[in-house]
């Protein structure tokens, strides 16, 4: 983790903006300026960010409850406690977790992701989410996970930032994994915008990213469901993340617009 790392602090970055929304300190003026503009355009963005973190915890607890003991978290982002391994190892201390990101700031903080229990293990892979082969063949991953046994792949609020054919990327990630493996995804949508010009819509937030050179592609529910092609969706299927397997949720449907993230979990048979 040593050596000089160019963090490009003069250019806003989606991971550092997310950190700002969550109340973190690992961001710079360019990130804060962009994040404040985002808050002006979509004041609920902090609700979106916090709900996404809660979905990660909820999905990870579900997967641990299904007996999963190996996790691959791609697009990890800046460490924010509890991290995925802390959630998994609280329920199953022997859980093994590999984190993947290509952001130099995440790399500089990766030690915070490597605080495993004695029974389990964590590792960090510096790789691009768009290159599944490099991820799955990395020595750090192969030294930590046994790919002949089920693995849960976690892609939280990531794929809308990934260029290219994300369906093919997901397919290449899941294809080599053992039966019984799982895929967990959260993904931004504009399904709840009243129109493309909705003054309270998610698209106003996404435009802040686009205007700053950060490509982002929201997807409708049907497209998010397609990411699980070939997998068996866990009930209730694709749902707004705060409603996923949470029948007692009291938020009105108007809250869905503030969240504007779909989520789901699928199992490889």
């Amino acid at each position: 983790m040593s050596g000089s790392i160019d963090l490009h602090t003069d250019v806003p970055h989606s991971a550092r903006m997310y950190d700002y929304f969550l109340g973190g300190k690992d961001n710079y003026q360019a990130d804060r300026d962009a994040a404040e503009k985002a808050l002006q355009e979509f004041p609920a963005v902090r609700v979106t960010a916090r709900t996404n973190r809660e979905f990660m915890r909820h999905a990870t607890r579900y997967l641990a409850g299904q007996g999963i003991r190996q996790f691959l978290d791609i697009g990890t982002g800046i460490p924010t406690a509890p991290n995925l391994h802390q959630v998994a190892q609280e329920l199953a201390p022997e859980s093994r977790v590999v984190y993947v990101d290509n952001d130099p700031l995440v790399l500089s903080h990766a030690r915070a992701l490597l605080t495993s229990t004695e029974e389990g293990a964590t590792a960090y892979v510096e790789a691009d989410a768009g290159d599944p082969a490099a991820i799955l063949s990395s020595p750090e991953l192969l030294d930590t996970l046994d790919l002949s046994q089920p693995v849960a792949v976690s892609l939280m609020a990531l794929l809308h930032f990934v260029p290219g054919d994300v369906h093919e990327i997901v397919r290449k990630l899941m294809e080599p994994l053992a039966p019984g493996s799982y895929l967990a995804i959260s993904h931004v949508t504009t399904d709840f915008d009243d129109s493309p010009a909705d003054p309270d819509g998610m698209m106003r937030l996404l435009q802040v990213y686009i205007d700053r050179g950060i490509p982002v592609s929201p997807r409708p529910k049907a497209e998010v469901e397609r990411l699980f092609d070939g997998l068996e969706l866990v009930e209730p299927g694709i749902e707004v993340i705060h409603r996923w397997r949470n029948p007692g949720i009291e938020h009105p449907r108007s809250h869905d617009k503030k969240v504007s993230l779909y989520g789901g979990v699928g199992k490889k048979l």
Side-chain angles (χ1 to χ4, degrees), residues 5-59:
I5 299 176
D6 186 356
L7 300 179
H8 300 289
T9 60
D10 58 331
V11 178
H13 191 285
S14 58
R16 298 194 300 250
M17 291 171 66
Y18 186 65
D19 176 73
Y20 182 83
F21 296 142
L22 290 171
K25 305 298 183 185
D26 295 306
N27 47 73
Y28 298 92
Q29 192 61 51
D31 309 305
R32 293 189 284 273
D33 290 345
E36 284 295 332
K37 176 62 174 175
L39 282 162
Q40 290 176 22
E41 297 297 335
F42 191 75
V45 65
R46 285 197 169 105
V47 174
T48 309
R50 288 194 299 266
T51 308
N52 186 63
R53 291 298 298 180
E54 179 54 37
F55 176 68
M56 180 278 289
R57 294 191 289 269
H58 190 33

Side-chain angles (χ1 to χ4, degrees), residues 47-249:
V47 174
T48 309
R50 288 194 299 266
T51 308
N52 186 63
R53 291 298 298 180
E54 179 54 37
F55 176 68
M56 180 278 289
R57 294 191 289 269
H58 190 33
T60 301
R61 287 192 292 264
Y62 170 80
L63 293 165
Q66 300 305 301
I68 294 295
R69 298 295 180 263
Q70 301 191 113
F71 296 84
L72 176 57
D73 182 17
I74 302 175
T76 300
I78 296 166
T80 303
N83 297 296
L84 189 149
H85 74 278
Q86 294 164 318
V87 178
Q89 291 179 348
E90 182 179 10
L91 294 173
E94 69 274 25
S95 296
R96 306 175 74 82
V97 179
V98 172
Y99 292 106
V100 179
D101 211 299
N102 68 340
D103 177 10
L105 184 61
V106 179
L107 174 63
S108 71
H109 287 274
R111 289 186 185 88
L113 300 170
L114 304 178
T115 55
S116 174
T117 59
E118 290 185 9
E119 302 95 320
T122 59
Y124 183 85
V125 176
E126 186 180 12
D128 193 304
D131 191 352
I135 293 170
L136 294 173
S137 65
S138 67
E140 297 91 344
L141 183 144
L142 295 175
D143 286 346
T144 307
L145 304 182
D146 178 359
L147 296 187
S148 70
Q149 298 299 312
V151 175
V153 177
S154 179
L155 304 171
M156 295 295 161
L158 170 72
L159 291 174
H160 43 259
F161 289 121
V162 176
D165 186 346
V166 293
H167 298 88
E168 183 67 5
I169 289 169
V170 171
R171 186 190 68 79
K172 288 181 178 179
L173 277 170
M174 297 303 296
E175 188 174 53
L177 301 184
S181 293
Y182 283 85
L183 172 68
I185 289 175
S186 66
H187 196 295
V188 76
T189 186
T190 55
D191 278 1
F192 303 103
D193 288 14
D194 292 330
S195 72
D198 184 352
D200 301 314
M202 171 58 70
M203 195 62 223
R204 291 181 67 88
L205 167 63
L206 302 185
Q207 195 63 47
V208 174
Y209 287 83
I210 294 167
D211 289 346
R212 286 154 181 79
I214 303 172
V216 58
S217 300
R219 290 183 171 87
K221 186 175 183 178
E223 281 295 301
V224 177
E225 189 167 356
R226 274 192 58 217
L227 294 167
F228 292 88
D229 280 356
L231 305 177
E232 181 180 73
L233 273 169
V234 172
E235 289 294 331
I238 304 304
E239 182 57 279
V240 191
I241 56 175
H242 63 101
R243 296 182 183 279
W244 188 81
R245 297 185 68 85
N246 195 5
I249 193 74

